[in-house]
Amino acid sequence: MLSRSLMQPPPETRRDAAENAQWSRPECQVWTGTLLLGTCLLYCARVTMPVCTVAMSQDFGWNKKEAGIVLSSFFWGYCLTQVVGGHLGDRIGGEKVILLSASTWGSITMATPLLAHLGSAHLVSMVFSRVLIGLLQGVYFPALTSLLSQRVRESERAFTYSTVGAGSQFGTLVTGVMGSLLLDWCGWQSVFYFSGGLTLLWVCYVYRYLLNEKDLILALGVLAQGLPVARPSRVPWRQLFRKPSVWAAVCSQLSSACSFFILLSWLPTFFKETFPHSKGWVFNVVPWLVAIPASLFSGFLSDHLISHGYGTITVRKSMQVMGLGLSSVFALCLGHTSSFLKAVVFASASIGLQTFNHSGISVNIQDLAPSCAGFLFGVANTAGALAGVVGVCLGGYLIEATGSWTCVFNLVAVISNLGLGTFLVFGKAQRVDLSPAHEDL
């Protein structure tokens, strides 16, 4: 026991080392803006295929089933690398994982038109490329969570994460607008060149101005050789997953991801079938325009409350009440309105309020285990992605069986409130990745 205690630095030393690794305020501002753009480009590359599917189906003769296979193939890869991405982020640094993955997914996106015309097996090549992009993008958010948990002060994490997370809405809007224009002007190939090219420009900027070249080369060498990475893990995994607060975080992340995927997948069809004469750009754009300021506001509000003395876990649970509880109320309202204007308002409110999850459960994972936040987020996001796929399929089954959209929005409300209830009862902000006892925040 004595020799073991001499080998391990005391908690104060570990805490000082962690503080020294944190970004200064100017560094944090630069990295926040850079990662916001990175998240935007991640979604630009992700939604490029859905934007181009109709045009590509016409060129290659795909039917609805074949087009669905291409679209769903992204998630086959996306579910597989969440845990790996978080683990690598914890071990070699999240910024390195993000840069390496972005350089590859950007290259594949740019090469997609070439791959599509390479041989006669268009469907196979597109499925293969989308699986690869899913594998590479699956590491992004777990690595991002790991990076922010280690480099951002606790009092600023919610706003930083919410700001970076707003890039998902920016990316969806950018590709929706620019993709539509490029499709009309230059054809579907130009959309892939646009999103892939911008990603590679972003990679060049990060590599040249923000990353240490020696550290990146070392990380590449470690990955190529498969050797144990520096900073050996001392996380007591068995003890970690015995904590109710950890499972509460996983369940809440699962429910928030599942609810989001159901709404994301079925809202366009709901509006088209319920309001066939409505303008598509309204319900495809307005909710995401609302979500951007909502995400930023949730982060600001969360950090503001903590800086004024409110308990960390109290603030996290309040954000989840908004992100899961109140958002589900507006989702329920969608199933009981015949007004297009009210439906757009309810959908925008539900999607906008779901961004409060960035300041709730997403940051709570960093509260619980900053030394392995990437891994833990990867576990939770994998469960959320798989549950989302099941939830989307179940939603389609319910629509076919009942002929009513109300049951889909009821499903969203049930899933959301199960996750919320679990988090309200068992959620904590006490660190569980260190052996010394810490007081609840």
Side-chain angles (χ1 to χ4, degrees), residues 176-338:
V177 174
M178 291 302 300
S180 300
L181 295 175
L182 289 171
L183 273 172
D184 293 337
W185 295 344
C186 309
W188 61 265
Q189 295 88 344
S190 61
V191 186
F192 288 94
Y193 295 143
F194 172 76
S195 58
L198 286 180
T199 300
L200 294 180
L201 287 175
W202 179 82
V203 168
C204 291
Y205 167 78
V206 175
Y207 175 74
R208 183 168 182 178
Y209 295 106
L210 296 181
L211 276 187
N212 186 310
E213 185 175 353
K214 292 182 179 179
D215 289 343
L216 186 60
I217 293 174
L218 177 62
L220 278 170
V222 167
L223 292 176
Q225 297 176 25
L227 297 176
V229 188
R231 293 191 299 142
S233 175
R234 297 182 183 275
V235 179
W237 298 115
R238 292 183 180 179
Q239 182 179 351
L240 187 69
F241 283 103
R242 287 174 181 168
K243 301 290 185 180
S245 58
V246 171
W247 286 107
V250 172
C251 290
S252 188
Q253 176 65 23
L254 183 154
S255 63
S256 64
C258 185
S259 300
F260 177 76
F261 278 129
I262 293 173
L263 290 178
L264 181 69
S265 300
W266 288 114
L267 273 181
T269 306
F270 162 75
F271 276 102
K272 286 181 181 179
E273 292 188 356
T274 309
F275 310 101
H277 302 295
S278 60
K279 298 292 184 181
W281 66 267
V282 176
F283 56 79
N284 283 328
V285 171
V286 172
W288 305 107
L289 285 176
V290 173
I292 294 170
S295 180
L296 298 175
F297 173 73
S298 70
F300 168 80
L301 177 63
S302 179
D303 287 342
H304 178 77
L305 291 174
I306 291 175
S307 66
H308 280 72
Y310 288 87
T312 301
I313 191 57
T314 302
V315 174
R316 304 294 187 237
K317 289 182 177 180
S318 300
M319 295 298 106
Q320 286 305 110
V321 169
M322 304 290 285
L324 288 176
L326 190 56
S327 69
S328 68
V329 172
F330 284 105
L332 284 173
C333 292
L334 275 170
H336 298 85
T337 183
S338 58

Side-chain angles (χ1 to χ4, degrees), residues 347-422:
S348 301
S350 185
I351 294 293
L353 286 166
Q354 284 200 354
T355 64
F356 279 66
N357 293 321
H358 294 320
S359 304
I361 186 58
S362 296
V363 187
N364 181 247
I365 290 176
Q366 301 175 40
D367 298 331
L368 292 173
S371 67
C372 56
F375 176 88
L376 189 57
F377 184 87
V379 172
N381 217 32
T382 299
L386 292 173
V389 173
V390 174
V392 170
C393 293
L394 180 58
Y397 172 79
L398 290 173
I399 295 170
E400 288 289 336
T402 65
S404 170
W405 283 95
T406 303
C407 58
V408 175
F409 301 120
N410 289 342
L411 176 65
V412 170
V414 169
I415 293 171
S416 296
N417 284 286
L418 283 174
L420 175 61
T422 303

Side-chain angles (χ1 to χ4, degrees), residues 40-41 44 47 169-180 194 198:
C40 174
L41 294 171
C44 282
V47 302
Q169 287 81 37
F170 275 116
T172 304
L173 287 173
V174 167
T175 304
V177 174
M178 291 302 300
S180 300
F194 172 76
L198 286 180

